[in-house]
Amino acid sequence: MSRARRDANGRRGTVLAITLMIVALMTMTAAAMLFRTTAEVTGAAAGRRGEQARLAAMSGIRQAISILDAPADTPVDIVDNPDLFQNQRVADHGTAAWYFTVFAPAAEATDAVRYGLIDEAGKININTADEETLANLGLDAERVACLLDWRDRDHEPRSDGAEQAYYASLQPIPYRTKNGPVITLEELLLVKGFDASVIVGEDANVNGLLDANEDDGNESFPPDDADGQLDRGLAAVATPISYERNMSVDGRPRININGEESELRKLASETSLPEQTVEFIRTVRKAGERFAHPAQLLEMRATVPADAVGGDERSRRRGRGSRRGPENVTVTSGVGTRELPEVLDRLTTRSGGSKTKVPGLVNVNTASANVLAALPEISDNTARQIVDLRDSIADEQKQTPAWLYAEGLLDADRFRQVAPRLTARSFQYRVRSVGFAWPGGQFRVVEAVIDLAGERPRIMYLRDLTRRGLPTAIDVDELTGAVMP
Ligand SMILES: [Ca+2]
Ligand SMILES: [Ca+2]
Ligand SMILES: [Ca+2]
Ligand SMILES: [Ca+2]
């Protein structure tokens, strides 16, 4: 415009010509103003409708929170529940209605999503997993080393790893290493050796569906192996966020079996563990030993100096199976199938009480076979057995991981080794929700991580995923049916 005016000012001509020019300029100005006004109106409408779509998506997050916050005695299917999570109408403005759908990648299928939440305790925590577990996730040695260097607090690079010296040398933009926990899986893109194919595999648009371009080899982005299967990379098996509070299922502080006498006294007064077990714990402690984890008590035998047993009135009654030698005696814990659930639920070896965060435990009731098999002590075969069997186990039995031992899936030795990595509970859920209008088609996608480990549920993480595109086809027939019954 200003250039057009400058050109006009520099031109010579008759009054008529100038008048015509002015008229022409005025027309242009009007047209331009009209265009600008139209663009602004359209933009405002898109902004408003975009905001409405975002609010509809947030209704899905709110729905998830209220379901997770409901009393435990009213169990609700949060894994795949279209009645609660698919095409839920939240507003009707006459010309358009607003809906949300909460969706997640299906466990097996790659041609449809499920309508439910993503359990973060069902995955391997990349902030706490050890070297072997990370390697079992399919990361090569260099990536494992670089990830460990990225998250550990020191500046000493492992032989295959990378610390600040490497990241400072990057061009064009050097950056700082984290030396702390990873917050999102995408953050791993900053770590040496990691790229999108490691993090999301072949699922370039991260929707859990096998899209055509994700199964055509190198014909189109992303590269894939065209085998009809969707490799979802780390996203399917790993999380940066999972923890629980160190308390029992009913919310009581656990008893620290490495604690002081006042703490050990609670074993008799606050648990229904057999006297033999209580006495065993005291005897081991009196012998100067400490426990690594409560699961260590399973079928445990200990050889202790004779004077550790029978020092006071309680320990004079030695446990069954005790055998007195000249100087040492062997005592047994009396912890078997019946006692194990209470041992796991009520006892701890951590100090700090119930406020302590215990990060990175894997929920044996929800983890996929791939996740379970990534734990060093669990074979592929056992992982498959766990997944096959758990639907037939009563909920009450599944309150602790003890059922893996009770059902004979792990022997006592294996169970003791793997138990410190396991839980039977989940406190963090990832929720992906798309809010959309019909008719109209505006949509927004949001992702939240909801944390249930505190007094009240809270959103610990929230982001917009709209740029990834519409995550799942909206079933319009079903939708119009819902709007106009
Ligand atoms: Ca480091
Ligand atoms: Ca996909
Ligand atoms: Ca491809
Ligand atoms: Ca594939």
Side-chain angles (χ1 to χ4, degrees), residues 258-270:
N258 288 335
E260 301 294 310
E261 172 58 27
S262 60
E263 188 77 359
L264 297 183
R265 226 175 282 141
K266 296 178 188 166
L267 290 169
S269 62
E270 291 184 20

Side-chain angles (χ1 to χ4, degrees), residues 136-151:
N136 289 345
L137 290 180
L139 297 176
D140 62 30
E142 187 185 348
R143 290 189 180 116
V144 170
C146 290
L147 171 54
L148 292 173
D149 274 341
W150 182 264
R151 74 180 201 203

Side-chain angles (χ1 to χ4, degrees), residues 213 216-217 220-222 224:
N213 61 309
D216 66 355
S220 65
F221 184 84
D224 63 74

Side-chain angles (χ1 to χ4, degrees), residues 115-329:
Y115 301 100
L117 315 184
I118 300 166
D119 177 2
E120 296 299 282
K123 301 189 247 177
I124 300 293
N125 188 319
I126 50 165
N127 284 315
T128 60
D130 59 19
E131 201 169 335
E132 190 175 355
T133 306
L134 292 171
N136 289 345
L137 290 180
L139 297 176
D140 62 30
E142 187 185 348
R143 290 189 180 116
V144 170
C146 290
L147 171 54
L148 292 173
D149 274 341
W150 182 264
R151 74 180 201 203
D152 73 22
R153 299 200 177 274
D154 66 54
H155 296 274
E156 292 297 315
R158 290 166 168 74
S159 59
D160 284 335
E163 289 279 2
Q164 188 57 43
Y166 167 78
Y167 297 105
S169 74
L170 292 179
Q171 290 302 327
I173 305 174
Y175 49 88
R176 300 182 73 84
T177 182
K178 187 73 171 280
N179 279 353
V182 173
I183 305 297
T184 69
L185 288 182
E186 287 80 357
E187 183 187 323
L188 295 176
L189 290 170
L190 295 170
V191 180
K192 184 184 178 192
F194 283 77
D195 57 28
S197 73
V198 178
I199 296 165
V200 300
E202 297 166 344
D203 191 13
N205 59 352
V206 207
N207 63 354
L209 302 174
L210 185 60
D211 297 276
N213 61 309
E214 295 165 352
D215 196 32
D216 66 355
N218 293 332
E219 213 156 282
S220 65
F221 184 84
D224 63 74
D225 60 8
D227 67 348
Q229 308 286 315
L230 182 64
D231 169 11
R232 291 178 47 224
L234 278 184
V237 291
T239 176
I241 304 169
S242 61
Y243 77 97
E244 61 183 60
R245 299 276 178 204
N246 197 15
M247 56 175 74
S248 64
V249 168
D250 62 7
R252 283 186 287 171
R254 286 173 166 154
I255 301 165
N256 183 0
I257 53 177
N258 288 335
E260 301 294 310
E261 172 58 27
S262 60
E263 188 77 359
L264 297 183
R265 226 175 282 141
K266 296 178 188 166
L267 290 169
S269 62
E270 291 184 20
T271 75
S272 56
L273 291 171
E275 211 175 291
Q276 179 188 348
T277 303
V278 174
E279 198 172 319
F280 177 85
I281 294 168
R282 287 176 165 283
T283 301
V284 169
R285 290 297 313 286
K286 201 173 288 177
E289 304 290 327
R290 290 167 70 83
F291 295 93
H293 187 272
Q296 203 186 337
L297 287 165
L298 178 62
E299 294 182 12
M300 185 179 177
R301 303 166 71 82
T303 301
V304 296
D307 60 0
V309 182
D312 59 38
E313 204 169 74
R314 177 180 298 280
S315 57
R316 207 165 294 140
R317 298 190 296 268
R318 284 182 296 119
R320 288 188 303 279
S322 303
R323 184 162 46 78
R324 199 181 265 282
E327 283 153 4
N328 290 326
V329 288

